[in-house]
């Protein structure tokens, strides 16, 4: 019987893992310069938190969640995104007592039962940032700038930043009415989901991927025309600060986010190189969520990057793998035992050391050293044992050294020859 990973779920193997490590390391460095600290969140959450935040009429909640009952009969869900769980943790651990703004980042797998295709997996990784406690539109620009700084650091090109404002609850009340009015006579052409959403949450009709619905909603009014004075002012200032930071952006009033918790600023980073699934990162404000989860009213803004999609945009994947600094070739049991001890001593000095398990031929051991791109080979054969010496072969420079059979002598010789 041969097992396979579930459909839409990919293992991440070396050498690609080194590119992942590179991305994660750069993200940590960049986020640190903005004062963000890492938070490691639960992967399984009570199902309710997603219903209450992402929204019961969204695709994610209606169709895509991995939800099951645990052995205690509780309904739990593999997180489809990080923000809801983050807000749960923010309140549960009283993180609001930390000095404001509270800035956090997280990295890890998310799960959505979507139809797998290029750039869309059922398990995918996000790198996310959440910043809480500030209403000032300057922080929207700062958060977007953080995302942009990471993309710049990773030398990602061919991406565009789209921004809009979807207003507050109040703006949306008027907008919903206008939208319903517009959709009213076209409703018969819409899919069953949209017919249902029309009454429950008409804004979700704008997010439907069904061809007939896309056609039917063409020419619908845009939320930007319905923003209240405060939201208009907020959005104007976000743009002012984006310009101040020379961040290139387009306003896209059609930008629809697939999650209900957003208020005011929303944004996406897209790339034409990604095909149909063209969003590599997305985010926005979620001004009501902390309160809805039982906390005090707390402004919040954040984003998440889809790591698999980011990977497709990295020009030179760091896939080139290096070999060990030292490889021990030995002949006979005694020599192999010695190489085991010496390798331990040298590893304690921080060197990457491997020993050979190919017996008995020295030649096959040398061939392996070559194949794994070892920089130096240490040979312990019969002669070496007799003379209590080792031979060090510099594989790049094709030089040889003979030193006494001691870790510190080996280390010294290598350091000097570099
Ligand atoms: P989202 O737009 O649902 O936002 O996802 C963010 C990113 O995750 C997307 O832009 C995409 O790159 C990646 N992504 C989403 N679904 C998949 C998938 N099935 N396969 C591969 N990649 C995928 C959020 O999740 C929000 N929590 C972002 C946020 C944080 N907003 C405020 N704070």
């Amino acid at each position: 019987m041969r097992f396979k990973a579930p459909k839409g779920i990919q293992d991440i193997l070396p050498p690609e893992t080194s590119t992942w490590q590179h991305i994660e390391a750069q993200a940590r460095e960049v986020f640190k310069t903005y004062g963000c600290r890492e938070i490691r969140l639960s992967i399984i959450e009570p199902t309710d938190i997603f219903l209450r935040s992402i929204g019961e009429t969204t695709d994610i909640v209606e169709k895509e969640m991995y939800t099951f009952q645990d052995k205690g009969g509780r309904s739990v869900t593999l997180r489809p995104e990080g923000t809801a769980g983050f807000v749960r943790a923010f309140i549960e651990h009283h993180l609001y007592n930390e000095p404001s703004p509270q800035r956090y980042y997280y990295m890890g797998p998310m799960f959505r039962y979507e139809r797998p295709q290029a750039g869309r997996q059922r398990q995918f990784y996000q790198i996310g940032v959440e910043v809480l406690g500030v209403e000032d539109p300057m922080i929207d620009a700062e958060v977007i700038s953080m995302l942009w700084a990471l993309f710049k650091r990773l030398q990602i090109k061919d991406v565009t930043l789209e921004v809009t404002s979807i207003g507050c609850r109040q703006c949306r009340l008027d907008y919903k009415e206008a939208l319903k009015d517009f959709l009213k006579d076209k409703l018969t052409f819409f899919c069953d989901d949209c017919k249902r959403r029309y009454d429950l949450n008409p804004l979700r009709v704008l997010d439907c991927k069904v061809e007939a619905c896309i056609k039917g909603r063409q020419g619908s009014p845009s939320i930007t025309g319905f923003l209240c004075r405060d939201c208009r002012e907020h959005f104007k200032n976000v743009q002012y600060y984006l310009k101040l930071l020379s961040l290139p952006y387009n306003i896209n009033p059609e930008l629809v986010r697939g999650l209900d918790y957003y208020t005011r600023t929303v944004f996406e980073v897209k790339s034409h190189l990604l095909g149909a699934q063209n969003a590599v990162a997305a985010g926005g404000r979620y001004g009501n969520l902390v309160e809805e989860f039982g906390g005090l009213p707390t402004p919040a803004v954040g984003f998440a990057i889809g790591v698999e999609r980011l990977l497709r945009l990295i020009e030179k994947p760091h896939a080139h793998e290096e070999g060990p600094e030292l490889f021990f070739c030995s002949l006979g049991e005694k020599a192999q035992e010695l190489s085991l001890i010496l390798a331990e001593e040298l590893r304690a000095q921080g060197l990457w050391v491997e020993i050979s398990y190919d017996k008995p031929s020295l030649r096959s051991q040398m061939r392996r050293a070559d194949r794994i791109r070892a920089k130096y080979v240490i040979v312990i054969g019969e002669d070496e044992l007799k003379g209590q010496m080792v031979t060090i072969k510099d594989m790049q420079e094709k030089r040889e050294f003979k030193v006494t059979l001691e870790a510190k002598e080996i280390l010294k010789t290598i350091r000097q020859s570099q």
Side-chain angles (χ1 to χ4, degrees):
M1 162 104 109
R2 279 184 158 213
F3 293 114
K4 278 185 154 186
K7 193 173 169 206
I9 297 185
Q10 286 160 6
D11 300 306
I12 303 149
L13 309 172
E16 208 180 32
T17 37
S18 52
T19 314
W20 283 72
Q21 287 166 1
H22 171 69
I23 291 173
E24 288 162 4
Q26 297 301 317
R28 286 178 199 285
E29 272 185 29
V30 171
F31 296 164
K32 197 173 163 196
T33 65
Y34 288 80
C36 291
R37 294 179 300 161
E38 184 176 5
I39 185 161
R40 299 195 183 196
L41 298 162
S42 168
I43 290 176
I44 299 180
E45 292 280 359
T47 303
D48 272 351
I49 75 159
F50 301 115
L51 309 188
R52 295 278 299 275
S53 57
I54 298 172
E56 298 195 40
T57 48
T58 55
D59 274 356
I60 296 180
V61 167
E62 281 186 342
K63 303 176 187 163
E64 298 169 2
M65 295 212 300
Y66 282 88
T67 297
F68 56 96
Q69 292 223 322
D70 70 8
K71 295 204 190 305
R74 289 167 286 255
S75 177
V76 290
T77 295
L78 296 184
R79 62 181 185 191
E81 58 103 49
T83 310
F86 168 78
V87 171
R88 193 260 316 134
F90 183 79
I91 298 169
E92 186 175 339
H93 305 294
H94 315 290
L95 300 181
Y96 44 80
N97 287 332
E98 301 273 321
S100 159
Q102 297 93 3
R103 308 166 193 250
Y104 298 92
Y105 73 87
Y106 50 86
M107 304 176 173
M110 309 290 159
F111 304 85
R112 296 184 193 175
Y113 195 81
E114 296 189 82
R115 203 157 45 80
Q117 63 180 81
R120 192 160 74 189
Q121 295 82 239
R122 289 183 174 167
Q123 175 179 315
F124 60 96
Y125 284 73
Q126 282 188 349
I127 297 179
V129 165
E130 313 291 354
V131 176
L132 290 90
V134 179
E135 193 58 65
D136 191 325
M138 190 187 274
I139 209 149
D140 302 45
E142 207 190 335
V143 165
I144 295 174
S145 179
M146 187 180 339
L147 171 61
W148 207 250
L150 176 58
F151 277 31
K152 235 178 167 172
R153 177 80 76 96
L154 293 168
Q155 298 177 350
I156 306 250
K157 298 182 198 89
D158 293 310
V159 282
T160 51
L161 169 64
E162 297 188 352
V163 188
T164 194
S165 173
I166 56 165
C168 61
R169 279 185 192 134
Q170 196 51 46
C171 323
R172 251 172 282 168
L173 281 181
D174 297 340
Y175 176 59
K176 270 183 196 166
E177 283 318 306
L179 185 63
K180 279 176 91 168
D181 235 28
F182 175 86
L183 298 174
K184 200 168 50 199
D185 354 309
K186 306 177 180 69
L187 217 55
T188 44
F189 304 113
F190 280 54
C191 72
D192 289 345
D193 280 344
C194 282
K195 281 183 190 135
R196 198 166 35 79
R197 287 166 180 161
Y198 175 82
D199 285 318
L200 294 171
N201 188 357
L203 259 70
R204 293 264 63 95
V205 174
L206 302 174
D207 193 28
C208 183
K209 314 284 183 305
V210 174
E211 200 59 46
C213 305
I214 296 173
K215 247 191 183 158
R217 65 175 184 247
Q218 261 170 19
S220 58
S222 151
I223 178 86
T224 39
F226 291 79
L227 297 184
C228 66
R229 224 187 49 189
D230 284 356
C231 287
R232 255 200 328 266
E233 190 65 16
H234 193 275
F235 187 40
K236 203 178 91 198
N237 286 324
V238 170
Q239 292 177 62
Y240 170 80
Y241 292 120
L242 289 176
K243 284 193 192 112
L244 193 70
L245 290 170
S246 308
L247 287 166
Y249 69 92
N250 302 319
I251 297 180
N252 177 5
E254 320 257 275
L255 198 64
V256 187
R257 303 286 294 117
L259 310 108
D260 274 354
Y261 52 62
Y262 289 109
T263 50
R264 295 194 164 170
T265 317
V266 290
F267 55 90
E268 279 194 359
V269 178
K270 294 181 178 172
S271 173
H272 64 93
L273 300 176
L274 291 175
Q277 306 304 319
N278 62 358
V280 60
R285 273 197 173 265
Y286 46 100
N288 305 325
L289 198 52
V290 178
E291 196 182 356
E292 274 163 17
F293 274 21
L296 290 171
T298 310
V301 53
F303 64 78
I305 303 167
V307 182
E308 286 83 356
R309 294 188 193 174
L310 185 66
L311 227 81
R312 293 173 65 196
L313 297 177
I314 289 205
E315 267 183 15
K316 286 192 196 75
H318 292 245
H320 171 71
E321 278 204 309
E322 297 202 335
E325 284 164 290
L326 281 179
F327 186 75
F328 275 89
C329 297
S330 53
L331 265 189
E333 210 171 303
K334 180 93 188 89
Q336 206 191 16
E337 280 176 15
L338 264 171
S339 67
L340 179 69
I341 294 166
L342 286 170
E344 283 302 307
E345 288 175 20
L346 288 157
R347 285 168 184 151
Q349 300 301 316
L351 265 71
W352 172 5
V353 187
E354 293 187 24
I355 62 175
S356 171
Y357 285 92
D358 291 323
K359 302 169 195 168
S361 142
L362 215 51
R363 182 178 290 179
S364 68
Q365 297 183 37
M366 286 303 290
R367 266 205 305 272
R368 177 175 300 269
D370 228 20
R371 226 179 58 210
I372 64 171
R373 295 184 292 274
K375 295 193 187 84
Y376 293 91
V377 170
I378 316 271
V379 181
I380 313 180
E382 279 162 18
D383 292 348
E384 280 87 359
L385 266 188
K386 246 188 248 149
Q388 286 294 290
M389 303 287 281
V390 295
T391 306
I392 303 176
K393 289 178 188 283
D394 180 338
M395 301 295 275
Q396 273 145 19
E397 304 294 329
K398 307 283 174 223
R399 290 180 296 185
E400 271 192 25
F401 310 93
K402 281 208 186 299
V403 300
T404 53
L405 228 167
E406 280 174 288
K408 74 171 189 311
E409 284 304 311
I410 296 172
L411 191 64
K412 200 166 93 193
T413 312
I414 288 168
R415 293 276 183 257
Q416 279 168 358
S417 84
Q418 278 171 342

